[in-house]
Amino acid sequence: MNPLIHSLHPYPFQKLAELIEGLTPNPEKPLIKLTIGEPQHDAPAIVLETLAKSLGGVSKYPSTKGELPLRDAISKWAKRRFHLEKLDPDTEILPVTGTREALFAITQTLVGEKQNSLVVSPNPFYQIYEGAGILAGAELHFLPCGAETNYKVDYQLVDDATWQRCEVLFVCSPNNPSGSITTLEEYAYLIEKAKTFNFTIVADECYSEIYFGSQAPLGLLEACEILGHKDYKHCLIFQSLSKRSNLPGLRSGFVAGDASILKPFLLYRTYQGCAMPIHHQDASVAAWNDEEHVIKNREIYTRKFDSVLEILSPVMPISKPEAGFYLWPKLSMTDEEFCTSLYQEESVLVLPGSYLGREVEGTNPGSHHVRMALVAEESECVEAAKRIRDFLSRR
Ligand SMILES: Cc1ncc(COP(=O)(O)O)c(C=O)c1O
């Protein structure tokens, strides 16, 4: 067996299951889980109708590159959303079956050219970045983005020796778990470093459509456009319908950007065998073409965050994230203690923040935080918030 398999870490939810094993939630209160970032709002009717009509697609092998109508719909959406002059559906876009597999696969495609390759990731982070780097044979290098730096990575602190070894830089913007957004200045800096040191910026943007107010988060290709970096060299974005359109089970997203990377990535994907079924492609076209359901979705999240924050802000330091659907409060007790006591007293389950981070030089930037996903119906999120308020008020 590949010995690197043994270096993979257990997933955060497995650690959580072990943490609460043998503990009993309060039997008088039904359990509310704020742990998994799985959208619970309704899937758009137009997508479900299209899916049902296209079921005949199961009798065909789909191509890895995807049908032109899908790549066309994606191109039009991305151009509208990120104010791009051009995004070639033939060379600058590939459909993927969710960003998870694509983030993993791109790392296998990109790592291997340099000596002592590094995969550079924010910390805390989406655990696929780490597993992808490990299995590609790279070393992980974590950049802290905890409370001390206002939940941002300070890229100026990364030395050139690190950039020299870097092959993949993961940027998660909007960030899971903190919701922070990478700015134009940060992207300008990173693009220059990527050009100088020849690495790829992999921008995981799967939360980009969940935001509050009228200002949509900046995307990496949008930054390229503004900066006149028209060929998107060294830059890739990863987009998904999972959060934007409440379709986590459709397994549909795309990668777009540097055509010189997407060509060998397509070859890699042909062997990996992860083409999107034709009926999922048709349903995805319907989803990318419709913005109304996305606007409604944001309104539901906005109402939910407002209601929950009104209840929680008097008892804990908490604020609306810039984007995304997580709350990421700092705690005055350890995250595991908060999690287990809340579970036992109030039957509310949250994810300890230290499970989303790694300890580097004695510090885990996720510790003393918990992640709460506000994905359930508003009434359930409000009930959870009231129980957390009561829990904290007793302390
Ligand atoms: C930061 C981040 N990236 C990627 C994904 C994967 O999303 P999907 O594979 O559904 O597109 C998730 C899912 O929760 C996530 O939180």
Side-chain angles (χ1 to χ4, degrees), residues 98-100 103 126 129 172 176 204 206-207 240 242-243 251:
T99 49
R100 178 195 279 238
L103 291 161
Y126 179 53
Y129 309 158
C172 186
N176 170 7
D204 178 355
C206 73
Y207 293 94
S240 174
S242 299
K243 327 283 181 188
R251 309 314 299 135

Side-chain angles (χ1 to χ4, degrees), residues 136-378:
E139 193 183 312
L140 266 292
H141 181 84
F142 291 114
L143 306 177
C145 49
E148 301 69 29
T149 51
N150 203 18
Y151 304 104
K152 304 276 294 181
V153 172
D154 187 347
Y155 292 107
Q156 307 276 346
L157 297 179
V158 181
D159 59 21
D160 284 354
T162 301
W163 292 131
Q164 185 70 54
R165 289 174 58 198
C166 176
E167 294 209 276
V168 174
L169 168 69
F170 282 111
V171 174
C172 186
S173 177
N175 181 271
N176 170 7
S178 75
S180 69
I181 293 168
T182 305
T183 63
L184 182 61
E185 292 69 29
E186 287 163 337
Y187 272 139
Y189 183 79
L190 292 175
I191 291 167
E192 282 313 308
K193 290 291 176 192
K195 282 188 205 164
T196 308
F197 293 103
N198 187 28
F199 62 83
T200 305
I201 306 171
V202 169
D204 178 355
E205 301 185 346
C206 73
Y207 293 94
S208 70
E209 305 316 290
I210 315 287
Y211 55 90
F212 312 96
S214 56
Q215 186 61 45
L218 178 79
L220 172 58
L221 297 191
E222 187 175 14
C224 290
E225 180 80 33
I226 297 168
L227 297 165
H229 187 52
K230 300 276 183 182
D231 58 3
Y232 309 129
K233 195 99 180 78
H234 304 288
C235 297
L236 294 175
I237 63 165
F238 288 70
Q239 277 284 343
S240 174
L241 289 176
S242 299
K243 327 283 181 188
R244 172 189 181 267
S245 302
N246 303 315
L247 293 166
L250 190 68
R251 309 314 299 135
S252 179
F254 70 86
V255 49
D258 187 341
S260 72
I261 300 174
L262 290 183
K263 196 170 174 203
F265 189 40
L266 172 60
L267 180 63
Y268 176 91
R269 297 180 66 69
T270 312
Y271 284 87
Q272 194 192 10
C274 47
M276 192 188 299
I278 305 272
H279 48 299
H280 289 209
Q281 292 193 40
D282 291 346
S284 303
V285 170
W288 291 117
N289 283 344
D290 184 61
E291 214 51 43
E292 211 168 299
H293 74 272
V294 188
I295 294 167
K296 281 204 189 111
N297 201 32
R298 275 198 289 277
E299 286 167 2
I300 300 173
Y301 279 117
T302 303
R303 274 201 305 276
K304 209 161 28 177
F305 270 80
D306 286 345
S307 308
V308 166
L309 287 172
E310 196 181 318
I311 298 163
L312 286 182
S313 43
V315 291
M316 70 195 313
I318 200 164
S319 55
K320 204 185 256 181
E322 282 187 272
F325 51 50
Y326 299 109
L327 287 173
W328 180 241
K330 190 159 190 259
L331 311 169
S332 50
M333 62 182 95
T334 73
D335 44 333
E336 285 189 339
E337 186 189 342
F338 183 96
C339 174
T340 50
S341 303
L342 181 69
Y343 179 64
Q344 289 171 293
E345 292 175 33
E346 296 291 343
S347 301
V348 174
L349 196 55
V350 296
L351 189 64
S354 55
Y355 295 2
L356 297 170
R358 291 285 172 263
E359 189 173 311
V360 179
E361 289 167 8
T363 307
N364 180 334
S367 69
H368 286 88
H369 287 75
V370 283
R371 195 186 75 175
M372 307 177 190
L374 298 193
V375 288
E377 291 304 319
E378 183 173 352

Side-chain angles (χ1 to χ4, degrees), residues 44-55 283 286:
I46 175 87
V47 175
L48 300 184
E49 283 157 22
T50 310
L51 189 60
K53 276 191 210 141
S54 298
L55 281 178

Side-chain angles (χ1 to χ4, degrees), residues 28-44:
E28 283 162 24
K29 300 182 180 189
L31 181 63
I32 301 179
K33 288 186 184 178
L34 303 179
T35 43
I36 302 187
E38 179 185 73
Q40 307 285 316
H41 302 170
D42 292 339

